[in-house]
Amino acid sequence: MTAVAMDIDGDVADADAAYPMHFHREQMPAWLHATATALGFRAPDLARPYRWCELGSGAGLTALVAAACNPSGRLTAVDADAAQIARARGIAERAGLANLEFVLADLRDYATQHGDAFDFIVSHGLWAWVSDAVRDAILETVERRLAPGGLLELGYMSHPGASQLQGAQRLLREAARHLEGDVAARSATALSLLREFADGGAGFFAEHPGAARQLDAMEREPAGYIAHEFLGAHWQPQHVADVIRAFAGVGCGFIGSATPIENIDALSIPAALQARLRRLPPGPLAETARDLARNQSLRRDLFQRGAQRLDDAAHLDALDALVFAALPGAPSALGGDLRFDTRIGPVTGARDLFAPALEALAQGPRSFAGLRTRAPYDAAPGLLNQALQALTWAGCVHICVPAGRDAPADALARQLASRTDVPALALLPAAGTAASRRAPR
């Protein structure tokens, strides 16, 4: 029997089970700048040269898009998978992305390296999948390399939403260890075993109906995704309270979620719990309660090194400087209320709150300052702030980035178009990001 290929940390590392390309819009510099500003914190200035780093870049799609659509930034992507780094470097070179460096390194080694400070550090799909030693290395890197006022975005599986997957994950891992074939084949066979238990009336699935829905979603993913997500030795959902305290220990304060709708309790928390949540102290307790209220399984936490909260006047000035544009497919008019499909189910967005912004943006980009002259925002700019956060999350609008030299987005788009493993994306250099070619939610 052939052993599953593992790296020294016990994580799946096999070329036959390559991790698929995923794009994470929440890691884009402009998205992070706008979200921190909306939350009332002084964000790094995108009009000046800045540095951005992704820890655990995987196939590199997020870093490639960030570089192509943000030519004024200097970007670094770090990963320990030599094959993925080589593929991503090749794409970057052919697309002429001179502002992007791919670094092949174990994060435990990278943490000891010296270099310039980063204004943004992002990481997705790493914190809950690696050993304590690698998590310590991430903390060390953040402590050494995140600039004062810099932003950290951390995406990870969280309790309680992912708690029920622990038993299923162990079955997948144990099955893969006793099967023959390459990692991809073992992943597929192990997943079919889990399906047999679900269809055969296993008590686990009877007790946890949500697990069946998660299994349905897993079966839609390629085998490489399953291998990397669920076969590693250190797979472990995290409690947000532990994560907040860990990063507080390296000088980073939790400021909110990089998923904007989760910063608006009215749109992400059951109505009966909202008042109770407001009485809880912010931080570990309140976020733990929110996770319970949403049955949160994936968090995208936003931290700031030496959190720099703005006073009311400075906050409004910072918001006024933001310029927003409608994204392709956004509605130009509303015949009724909006519907947001959230973790707690469908949530209604009142037409009177969202229609004025959408109608104005359908005519072209508008600054926050210009939008807030319209009713109902003229009497309450906070309503406009919340409306734009929700519309950004829904894929309807996005902030614009400061004008700079020509972005090589077309060159990257041509490189990506020839690949079958890349999701359908429209690169949007004016917004510093990319958007799915499907209609927004």
Side-chain angles (χ1 to χ4, degrees), residues 29-383:
W31 182 287
L32 296 171
H33 174 94
T35 303
T37 300
L39 287 164
F41 292 86
R42 189 179 304 282
D45 187 355
L46 298 183
R48 299 178 179 178
Y50 59 85
R51 290 178 58 85
W52 176 100
C53 177
E54 182 178 13
L55 301 177
S57 55
L61 182 58
T62 296
L64 289 164
V65 171
C69 295
N70 296 276
S72 62
R74 293 173 57 199
L75 297 94
T76 301
V78 186
D79 201 275
D81 188 323
Q84 300 220 74
I85 286 287
R87 283 193 295 269
R89 277 179 180 161
I91 294 171
E93 290 170 1
R94 291 189 294 274
L97 301 180
N99 62 332
L100 173 59
E101 176 189 21
F102 281 98
V103 177
L104 175 63
D106 186 302
L107 289 181
R108 289 164 291 192
D109 297 326
Y110 188 74
T112 66
Q113 297 181 14
H114 296 283
D116 294 334
F118 297 111
D119 301 288
F120 303 93
I121 294 179
V122 301
S123 183
H124 183 88
L126 193 65
W127 186 260
W129 284 263
V130 295
S131 67
D132 289 342
V134 177
R135 278 192 284 271
D136 287 344
I138 294 171
L139 290 167
E140 183 178 353
T141 300
V142 169
E143 185 173 32
R144 291 166 60 100
R145 302 290 295 274
L146 186 62
L151 296 175
L152 164 71
E153 186 271 345
L154 187 76
Y156 60 94
M157 288 186 312
S158 61
H159 295 293
S163 303
Q164 62 188 7
L165 282 175
Q166 292 178 103
Q169 184 271 342
R170 179 50 64 95
L171 181 66
L172 290 173
R173 177 168 167 75
E174 293 300 326
R177 289 168 63 89
H178 292 84
L179 292 167
E180 297 183 356
D182 60 26
V183 173
R186 292 178 183 208
S187 299
T189 305
L191 195 61
S192 68
L193 174 62
L194 192 58
R195 168 54 68 186
E196 287 183 56
F197 273 73
D199 293 346
F204 168 76
F205 288 97
E207 187 71 20
H208 302 284
R213 294 191 296 271
Q214 289 172 317
L215 176 57
D216 292 342
M218 291 161 66
E219 289 175 328
R220 292 192 292 269
E221 298 286 353
Y225 173 88
I226 299 302
H228 282 264
E229 290 289 306
F230 296 106
L231 301 189
H234 303 292
W235 188 96
Q236 179 60 59
Q238 302 290 302
H239 290 286
V240 62
D242 296 336
V243 178
I244 289 176
R245 291 191 176 101
F247 283 94
V250 294
C252 293
F254 173 79
I255 65 172
S257 174
T259 304
I261 198 171
E262 293 177 1
N263 297 318
I264 307 170
D265 285 351
L267 295 178
S268 63
I269 298 294
L273 297 174
Q274 292 171 19
R276 186 66 186 91
L277 262 172
R278 287 193 292 271
R279 299 196 298 273
L280 295 178
L285 174 56
E287 292 307 305
T288 298
R290 286 188 172 92
D291 283 358
L292 197 69
R294 300 184 186 117
N295 193 35
Q296 193 91 9
S297 59
L298 173 66
R299 288 187 62 97
R300 299 179 185 271
D301 289 347
L302 191 56
F303 299 87
Q304 186 170 43
R305 182 73 175 271
Q308 301 178 8
R309 184 175 287 280
L310 301 167
D311 62 32
D312 290 346
H315 187 199
L316 187 58
D317 286 344
L319 288 170
D320 280 345
L322 299 180
V323 176
F324 290 83
L327 290 180
S332 59
L334 295 179
D337 294 339
L338 276 179
R339 168 182 160 136
F340 297 107
D341 293 321
T342 76
R343 287 199 61 83
I344 62 170
V347 174
T348 298
R351 179 190 182 280
D352 291 345
L353 175 58
F354 294 97
L358 287 170
E359 290 168 1
L361 293 173
Q363 305 304 312
R366 297 285 188 274
S367 68
F368 188 97
L371 289 170
R372 72 179 177 90
T373 63
R374 297 168 174 259
Y377 319 127
D378 52 347
L383 288 177

Side-chain angles (χ1 to χ4, degrees), residues 409-427:
D410 288 345
L412 178 62
R414 288 193 294 272
Q415 290 297 319
L416 298 180
S418 64
R419 301 184 64 95
T420 60
D421 57 346
V422 179
L425 294 174
L427 272 62

